[in-house]
Amino acid sequence: MSSVISGSMNNGALWRRASIKLATTRPQMTVEGVAIVAAGFFTLFCNATFFREIAGVGALSGASGWRTGLSLIVAIAALHMVLLCLMLNRWTAKPLLTLLLLVTAAASHFMEEYTVYLNPGMLRNIFHTDEKESRELMTSGMLSSVLVLGVLPSAILWWIRIQHRPLKRALLVRIVALTLAASVVAIALLGSFQSLSSLMRNHKEVRHLVTPANYLVSLARVLHSAHTDRGRSREPVGVNAQVIARPAGEKPRLLVLVVGETLRAQNWGLNGYERETTPQLAQTGAINFPDVTACGSDTGVSVPCMFSHYGRANYDKDKIKHSESLLQVLERAGVGTIWLDNQTGCKGVCDGLAFESFRHAKTPDLCTAEGCLDEVLLRRLPDVIRYRSSDVVVVLHQLGNHGPAYYKRYPPSFRRFAPTCETADFGRCSREEIINAYDNAILYTDHFLSGVIGQLNAQSTHEAALIYVSDHGESLGENGLYLHGVPYAIAPDEQLRVPMVMWFSPGFIASTGIDTVCLGDRSASPVSHDNLFHTVLGLMGVTASEMDPKLNLLEGCGSP
């Protein structure tokens, strides 16, 4: 028995000695050392998109190109060193840096796959992304990036032992590290000042590709904006708005305003696209506007902008955000409004007004756990019309061509162009397959809009009209770009040019006196989202001090 006990004690001692030896063989690093390694890792392995873009604009060309590239590598590494030194300490280094590694790995994937610019606007869009949209982005490519650039470095991080220092010495070392890192940033930038100043002056948007600095700085700006906006009320618009008197007995007016999603003008059949993507609309007599410019390259900018009297010409994000929209002006004049949504909300445009979301509807033939097809909105539209006995504007906010899962935006019967990309991971598809799926989604929007017109023709309680306009466009591989959201100053035409059509019932034309021939001629001229606010007021016969007749597309064409 004693030999057994003795053996057990010896085994226990061996295990303890082995554990102590293993612990002592684990490498030790200071927080500053960890920050240096992490800064170098982020710079060299997570910023391929940034360096590809600056190479594409010629910043690395010529005899001094190598010096510019080296200066950028050193400056970006030192910049991240500054950020990490401000964020990390002995207790937070591992959990916080693990979070940064995982998020940066995902960010790096999306920037590399779609050339996404992580500016404050894009971060706001990400925050508004719901669970269903998020699931579509969980591709095998993203998971691989997170594993290689996030999980594996995090495992190494947790194996390392963080060295402890007394508080006073830790503070002194941290101040020295911050000072040195900031000095290195300045020296590196001065080393190629002429080239870098030209790069930042002419292509300043590329700074939003430097990760994780891009999303950390943008996050701070978004949080600061949210804090300063708290409790701030909207500025009234159209305080004197009123409906122009009409003859007694005239039917009330109904406008269905369809806000499209991610549909670009270049693939719109009515604009002369080589494919017939709008065959049903072509039979309705709708007036097509082939040259329309969007307010922005993403929904978060475009939707509030197009419903504002400021528009892009006088664009001010803060003023638009804190001013009432077109819908509030209509309501003040006595025109009812309702927003029917198959997207992620109205972006503040309809705050305080009638709103219904169909994002999680339970219509078996149109909806799944992943979302609903746009025709779910048509199931509700007849009831909305039936129970409104006065002038009304109904906004239908489509899911439309929301990417990257274009193949989910239409039923199988609309898979006319094939083969199609059947995944949200574009890296597994050819460009032709991506475009085929995108064009099939346009076919479904064409069918949807024709369905709206059919319902407006079928009802008899209102004189009806329709306006369709997309919020922004989409890149489909041009210059290596996919999706949308490129900062407005450098956004390509594919992301800014959008389709727009108008349709009027015979009764609406007769009661308002609109000259459709005149409007058809005018449609060939360039227009923009800026015209929407003023044109809708004109269609509904509403006057307001903010209304600009020059921006009303009906002005001079028998404007109501």
Side-chain angles (χ1 to χ4, degrees):
M1 177 67 72
S2 61
S3 62
V4 173
I5 295 173
S6 175
S8 299
M9 292 177 64
N10 288 337
N11 288 338
L14 288 172
W15 277 111
R16 283 194 298 274
R17 284 196 296 270
S19 299
I20 292 170
K21 186 176 181 179
L22 181 63
T24 55
T25 58
R26 288 171 56 196
Q28 291 189 63
M29 294 184 72
T30 63
V31 175
E32 291 75 22
V34 170
I36 290 173
V37 174
F41 175 82
F42 288 140
T43 303
L44 296 177
F45 295 100
C46 300
N47 280 277
T49 306
F50 170 77
F51 287 108
R52 187 182 67 245
E53 288 297 304
I54 63 168
V57 299
L60 303 183
S61 302
S64 62
W66 67 270
R67 186 185 300 114
T68 301
L70 181 61
S71 296
L72 281 171
I73 291 173
V74 173
I76 291 172
L79 171 65
H80 284 127
M81 178 64 181
V82 171
L83 291 174
L84 291 174
C85 282
L86 292 173
M87 297 170 62
L88 305 181
N89 58 46
R90 187 164 66 91
W91 298 276
T92 65
K94 288 186 176 181
L96 191 54
L97 193 51
T98 298
L99 178 62
L100 286 176
L101 285 166
L102 295 173
V103 174
T104 302
S108 179
H109 166 75
F110 289 119
M111 289 191 297
E112 184 67 17
E113 189 77 5
Y114 309 117
T115 317
V116 172
Y117 289 72
L118 292 178
N119 57 10
M122 182 57 70
L123 250 64
R124 291 187 182 93
N125 289 335
I126 292 172
F127 291 150
H128 291 147
T129 299
D130 63 14
E131 180 186 354
K132 294 178 180 179
E133 291 179 346
S134 299
R135 283 202 300 265
E136 291 180 355
L137 297 173
M138 298 295 177
T139 64
S140 59
M142 192 209 75
L143 295 177
S144 298
S145 293
V146 171
L147 176 63
V148 174
L149 297 178
V151 175
L152 292 181
S154 296
I156 296 172
L157 171 66
W158 283 92
W159 181 53
I160 293 170
R161 297 169 61 197
I162 301 296
Q163 184 177 325
H164 170 67
R165 285 197 186 103
L167 180 60
K168 288 185 179 180
R169 178 170 174 78
L171 287 174
L172 178 61
V173 171
R174 185 59 54 88
I175 291 171
V176 171
L178 278 168
T179 303
L180 288 175
S183 300
V184 170
V185 173
I187 293 170
L189 294 178
L190 288 172
S192 296
F193 178 76
Q194 186 172 352
S195 298
L196 293 179
S197 62
S198 175
L199 174 67
M200 289 299 105
R201 184 172 59 252
N202 298 317
H203 305 282
K204 60 182 179 181
E205 292 80 9
V206 296
R207 71 188 188 278
H208 295 302
L209 295 174
V210 178
T211 190
N214 52 2
Y215 69 78
L216 291 174
V217 174
S218 294
L219 177 62
R221 291 175 62 185
V222 169
L223 293 176
H224 178 264
S225 176
H227 175 72
T228 56
D229 290 345
R230 191 173 301 162
R232 184 174 171 182
S233 59
R234 291 180 179 270
E235 292 294 326
V237 176
V239 292
N240 61 342
Q242 59 181 346
V243 176
I244 301 171
R246 300 200 291 265
E250 186 174 287
K251 288 182 180 179
R253 293 177 186 173
L254 162 65
L255 171 64
V256 175
L257 175 54
V258 181
V259 178
E261 168 66 30
T262 319
L263 210 161
R264 69 188 206 168
Q266 289 82 356
N267 292 49
W268 188 243
L270 294 178
N271 287 348
Y273 182 46
E274 60 187 15
R275 285 177 167 174
E276 195 176 34
T277 53
T278 53
Q280 294 186 54
L281 273 177
Q283 305 301 316
T284 64
I287 298 173
N288 182 61
F289 291 77
D291 189 1
V292 183
T293 303
C295 284
S297 61
D298 64 85
T299 304
V301 171
S302 277
V303 170
C305 180
M306 72 167 77
F307 281 85
S308 167
H309 68 288
Y310 288 107
R312 173 52 64 175
N314 301 294
Y315 186 77
D316 186 310
K317 180 178 70 68
D318 188 64
K319 287 183 178 180
I320 290 174
K321 183 177 180 180
H322 296 102
S323 296
E324 291 180 337
S325 75
L326 167 65
L327 301 187
Q328 276 94 13
V329 176
L330 291 167
E331 288 275 354
R332 183 169 287 119
V335 177
T337 66
I338 182 170
W339 186 290
L340 305 183
D341 196 88
N342 193 33
Q343 256 281 357
T344 53
C346 66
K347 312 305 178 188
V349 167
C350 63
D351 284 356
L353 304 177
F355 172 87
E356 295 180 27
S357 175
F358 295 84
R359 193 80 168 111
H360 305 282
K362 306 295 183 184
T363 308
D365 58 327
L366 295 174
C367 302
T368 67
E370 297 179 332
C372 296
L373 295 172
D374 283 327
E375 281 180 286
V376 71
L377 299 172
L378 298 186
R379 301 287 175 89
R380 179 71 174 108
L381 183 57
D383 290 336
V384 171
I385 298 172
R386 186 179 303 117
Y387 296 116
R388 299 275 180 150
S389 58
S390 58
D391 290 355
V392 61
V393 172
V394 182
V395 181
L396 305 180
H397 191 193
Q398 287 185 273
L399 185 56
N401 279 50
H402 193 286
Y406 307 129
Y407 68 102
K408 293 183 178 180
R409 306 301 174 235
Y410 53 88
S413 58
F414 284 83
R415 191 174 179 268
R416 181 178 304 175
F417 307 112
T420 55
C421 181
E422 299 292 318
T423 174
D425 188 351
F426 285 172
R428 298 167 58 187
C429 299
S430 68
R431 185 163 179 256
E432 178 191 6
E433 291 170 333
I434 295 169
I435 294 173
N436 286 343
Y438 185 85
D439 285 349
N440 288 335
I442 300 178
L443 277 173
Y444 184 62
T445 286
D446 172 66
H447 172 73
F448 170 80
L449 293 174
S450 298
V452 175
I453 292 173
Q455 289 194 11
L456 296 182
N457 265 326
Q459 62 83 37
S460 59
T461 57
H462 293 73
E463 307 297 6
L466 171 140
I467 296 178
Y468 166 78
V469 63
S470 183
D471 59 352
H472 55 79
E474 187 84 321
S475 288
L476 295 174
E478 297 83 7
N479 300 313
L481 290 174
Y482 284 94
L483 301 183
H484 55 268
V486 172
Y488 191 87
I490 62 168
D493 280 349
E494 290 81 10
Q495 296 188 25
L496 294 181
R497 286 194 58 226
V498 295
M500 184 172 83
V501 296
M502 292 186 187
W503 173 90
F504 309 101
S505 69
F508 196 98
I509 294 172
S511 66
T512 60
I514 293 176
D515 185 343
T516 55
V517 174
C518 170
L519 188 58
D521 293 339
R522 180 168 294 174
S523 68
S525 301
V527 299
S528 74
H529 277 169
D530 289 13
N531 296 100
L532 186 69
F533 180 96
H534 312 274
T535 301
V536 169
L537 291 182
L539 272 174
M540 301 308 293
V542 174
T543 62
S545 55
E546 289 83 1
M547 184 177 179
D548 185 349
K550 296 177 183 177
L551 294 176
N552 177 8
L553 294 175
L554 305 170
E555 188 71 22
C557 287
S559 177

